[in-house]
Amino acid sequence: MHIEKPATHEPEALSVQDSQSFPESKDLSQENLDTCQCSQAALQMALIASGLGLWDWNLVTNKTYYDPHWKGILGYRVDEIENEHKSFEQLVHPHDLPRIRQVLHDYLEGCTPVFEVELRMLTKSGEWKWILACGKVFQWDEFGKPVRMAGTHKDITQDKAMSTTGCAYATQQYQLFEQLQSTEDQVREKSQQQETTLEELKYTQKQLLQNQKMANLGQLVADMANEINNPVSFIYGNLHPASQYAEDLIKIIELYQHYYPKPAPVIALHLQRLDLGFVKTDFLKLLWSMRAGSERIKEIVFALRNFSTSDEGLMKKVDLHEGLDSVLRILQHRLKQKPDRAGIEVIKNFGELPLIECYPGELNQVFMNILTNAIDALEERMKHDYSFNPNIFIHTEIISSHLSLVNSNELWVNDKQLGKKHRVIIRISDNGKGILPHIQRQIFEPFFTTKPVGKGQGLGLSISRQIIVEKHQGKLKCNSKSGQGTELVIEMNTTTRHYTAIRKHASF
């Protein structure tokens, strides 16, 4: 503790010379040495006669000299107490120690003229003695910081006992102090419990929000898929016979034209107005275009169903590439070219992956969140750079278990427990503007978003991180440099422990 020297107090030339103390070394003549030793002996006799024990404390090193009588007041021999300040604090009653430190602090700050405090100390016999401690700083350094402090201890136990009123008052005060101390401990404990409860509530709230969002999204997607699938299936199923009927009718018309080349004037007039040659060709093209469109709609319906495939919370072995392709089909309307901007090209580099045991619906939600953020970032850059060519890169691979491409402190399950030797890496990156470092540190926090109000709740990446880390024991990391784009890297095992087992052994 470095405290400025009080301006109102002059340092006193007090020093105790002893083989166990630590005064500055000086060259003394024999005569001066004898005089010093006599003065020291006289001082020791005066202290013993007055019942005072002397202490000398170096505030810099915490070395403290306690004279034999100081130790004798408590019933200890000279060698039973070490000359360290901690020896004093270890003997002080725990309830008195904070008050002593406060009184000492007030003195060193210049708030009080002397250090003086009553306290209880433990004797060798196990009893508590009342001690009056007094002291002053007598040495400062060149910057005015206190260096050494000396003082006395006096046994005032009998004085306390003789003064019944004073003793009762003191007892009452200390009982009150102990009650306050106990109350403070209880308040602190309740505060800690409330903090723990608050953290649990935050986690539960986030979990409920995620579950609600996933349930609502899954139900919505399933309903949409069913609603679209029924009429589309009817149209798609009837287009083939309709095309066949059209071809047959056109064939009949062609036969009539061949065997009856000169139709009646009324028919000839209608044929001239109709342009039968164009109708025959374009009608078949129209039917085949309708068939191609219905096939596209069926693909989208399949993608929607695949996106919401595991709302039951069951683990399945799936092809992650199918999940990625399904999400890309759903987002096709945001990827294609528009009048006010270029189309976003998706460059896929899929490796050979085995079937991955996972929660496929929730992984699809992760892919959706990451790809949506990538599209948002590219659209934002395209607003300011019309010559910009937006790209999204998706790379998948499988690596050996002793390698790890993601440095993270997240929970990771030992491969020996899983009995697997491979991990799956999925990289989704864009060539947008990138993320600034101070924002990058917060992107996985719940409710953090840089998007305008109404365009984002700040839960997408937070939920994605929870799905990857907690439900799949994987890792999710963001790599980004300003002006060079952003990359989200997912690392997972090829098999995953069931989430129920993870929660059972979790610490939260």
Side-chain angles (χ1 to χ4, degrees), residues 12 14 47 52-57 70 88 100 103-104 107 113-119 121 131-138 149-156:
E12 298 183 3
L14 174 63
L47 291 172
L52 298 176
L54 182 67
W55 52 269
D56 187 340
W57 179 20
W70 187 98
F88 163 72
I100 296 169
V103 173
L104 176 63
Y107 165 65
V114 294
F115 168 69
E116 183 174 301
V117 64
E118 293 181 357
L119 57 125
M121 295 190 71
I131 302 294
L132 174 63
C134 302
K136 270 194 171 185
V137 174
F138 67 90
M149 184 175 178
T152 61
H153 272 193
K154 183 177 180 180
D155 183 1
I156 59 171

Side-chain angles (χ1 to χ4, degrees), residues 44 86 92 96 145 153 189 205 207 210 306 313-314 321 368 383 400 459 481:
Q44 284 292 119
K86 66 180 181 181
V92 173
D96 295 344
K145 308 294 184 182
H153 272 193
E189 182 179 354
Q205 181 187 26
Q207 187 71 24
Q210 175 193 346
N306 187 37
L314 300 177
H321 294 157
M368 175 70 77
K383 290 180 181 178
S400 299
L459 287 172
K481 289 185 179 180

Side-chain angles (χ1 to χ4, degrees), residues 302-309 318-331 348 350 358 360-361 363-368 371 394 426 428:
F302 174 78
L304 291 172
R305 285 180 170 177
N306 187 37
F307 180 78
S308 59
T309 185
V318 297
D319 184 353
L320 294 185
H321 294 157
E322 289 185 359
L324 286 165
D325 286 334
S326 297
V327 174
L328 289 173
R329 289 192 192 100
I330 295 172
L331 294 174
K348 296 186 292 186
F350 288 172
C358 61
L363 273 186
N364 289 342
Q365 177 68 34
V366 173
F367 299 151
M368 175 70 77
L371 286 167
I394 305 177
I426 304 169
I428 301 176

Side-chain angles (χ1 to χ4, degrees), residues 98 167 170 231 241 284 295 310 366 420 454:
C167 182
L284 290 177
E295 287 178 350
S310 66
V366 173
K420 296 296 176 184

